[in-house]
Amino acid sequence: MTGSTVNILDLWPTKLVKKMLPDYNDPNRELLKLARNWDKTKKDLTTDYKHNNPFEIDEPATNWLRENVNQVMIEYLRAIGIDFSVDWQIHGWINVNRSGDYHDPHNHPHCYLSGTYYVKVPLPVKSNLSRRDVRPNHITFYDPRTGFNMQSISGDPYIDPEHSVMPEPGLLMLWPAGLMHFVHPNLSNETRVSISFNIILKWEDHYLPSQN
Ligand SMILES: [Fe+2]
């Protein structure tokens, strides 16, 4: 009797990159200054994502962040098996979230990847929470395959349709731009400061997949 081979494919995975950047203290101090200055002078800094791109600033801290985002992008492309040249631009904006601020579930249309770098995050406050499932300052990502948890049982990979992260300063995250995510309310009196960005591909014809 000959043995049979079982192929179990890992179809339609969702890639989510988390990377703690080394030596982030000095750049974060400068990025926080930039955020504070822009917050004083620019109207709708957090909600106007079309203007005020910190990645266009030629300063040591913004150059450091740009280089790290580019490096993570290279690591992402390598991880998903893309072995041809890809060119992109980074469109970013600064978020300054005060007590009560949140960002309801959304994705980022017309972009390839999206991400956030964390500059300042209030320390977790547990004592004044009324419920255990309240997760201030977390970011939650949702399974893009709606309903895949409906009949999941304990231990299978589809049981949890959410993935929550409590960010900390120095954390850089990157994910497919279509992935829905929710930024939980800031319940602290301290501000949360982050830099979000979209990776937009500069089109090349060789991005098109070959047709079978
Ligand atoms: Fe977002």
Side-chain angles (χ1 to χ4, degrees):
M1 182 176 163
T2 57
S4 62
T5 302
V6 177
N7 283 319
I8 300 181
L9 306 181
D10 190 14
L11 291 177
W12 304 300
T14 301
K15 302 293 190 191
L16 180 65
V17 182
K18 293 167 68 179
K19 183 178 184 181
M20 279 300 296
L21 301 188
D23 305 319
Y24 63 84
N25 279 322
D26 289 345
N28 272 16
R29 197 172 307 119
E30 295 306 312
L31 293 170
L32 188 56
K33 268 189 218 163
L34 178 69
R36 296 267 189 254
N37 286 337
W38 281 14
D39 195 37
K40 276 184 213 151
T41 56
K42 295 177 187 291
K43 191 173 176 290
D44 302 326
L45 176 66
T46 301
T47 52
D48 181 1
Y49 62 89
K50 292 181 186 166
H51 304 97
N52 312 318
N53 182 358
F55 291 94
E56 291 175 350
I57 305 295
D58 182 16
E59 296 286 346
T62 48
N63 292 343
W64 173 85
L65 183 58
R66 187 186 318 102
E67 284 164 20
N68 275 291
V69 169
N70 283 333
Q71 183 56 40
V72 166
M73 176 65 174
I74 291 166
E75 290 167 17
Y76 174 92
L77 292 172
R78 197 176 290 143
I80 64 173
I82 288 183
D83 58 359
F84 49 83
S85 67
V86 176
D87 198 6
W88 62 86
Q89 63 188 55
I90 308 169
H91 191 150
W93 63 99
I94 295 177
N95 305 291
V96 178
N97 286 295
R98 295 178 171 79
S99 180
D101 288 354
Y102 66 97
H103 198 163
D104 51 349
H106 65 284
N107 54 15
H108 297 202
H110 307 297
C111 307
Y112 184 56
L113 300 176
S114 297
T116 298
Y117 174 69
Y118 294 90
V119 176
K120 178 177 176 288
V121 183
L123 291 172
V125 181
K126 290 252 189 281
S127 57
N128 62 353
L129 298 182
S130 58
R131 287 171 28 176
R132 279 190 310 168
D133 59 344
V134 175
R135 285 159 282 169
N137 286 315
H138 285 57
I139 181 168
T140 293
F141 299 90
Y142 298 96
D143 189 340
R145 305 160 309 160
T146 306
F148 260 66
N149 65 318
M150 288 294 288
Q151 299 189 38
S152 296
I153 59 172
S154 178
D156 86 30
Y158 312 125
I159 196 160
D160 194 348
E162 312 179 357
H163 177 75
S164 288
V165 176
M166 176 60 199
E168 55 186 302
L171 177 66
L172 176 61
M173 299 181 71
L174 186 71
W175 59 84
L179 195 61
M180 294 289 284
H181 51 284
F182 166 50
V183 179
H184 294 247
N186 178 10
L187 301 182
S188 165
N189 289 324
E190 287 181 46
T191 52
R192 177 183 61 221
V193 178
S194 61
I195 298 176
S196 292
F197 56 89
N198 290 318
I199 302 278
I200 297 160
L201 295 187
K202 296 179 183 173
W203 182 253
E204 301 278 354
D205 283 345
H206 67 257
Y207 295 167
L208 290 172
S210 55
Q211 300 293 315
N212 293 322

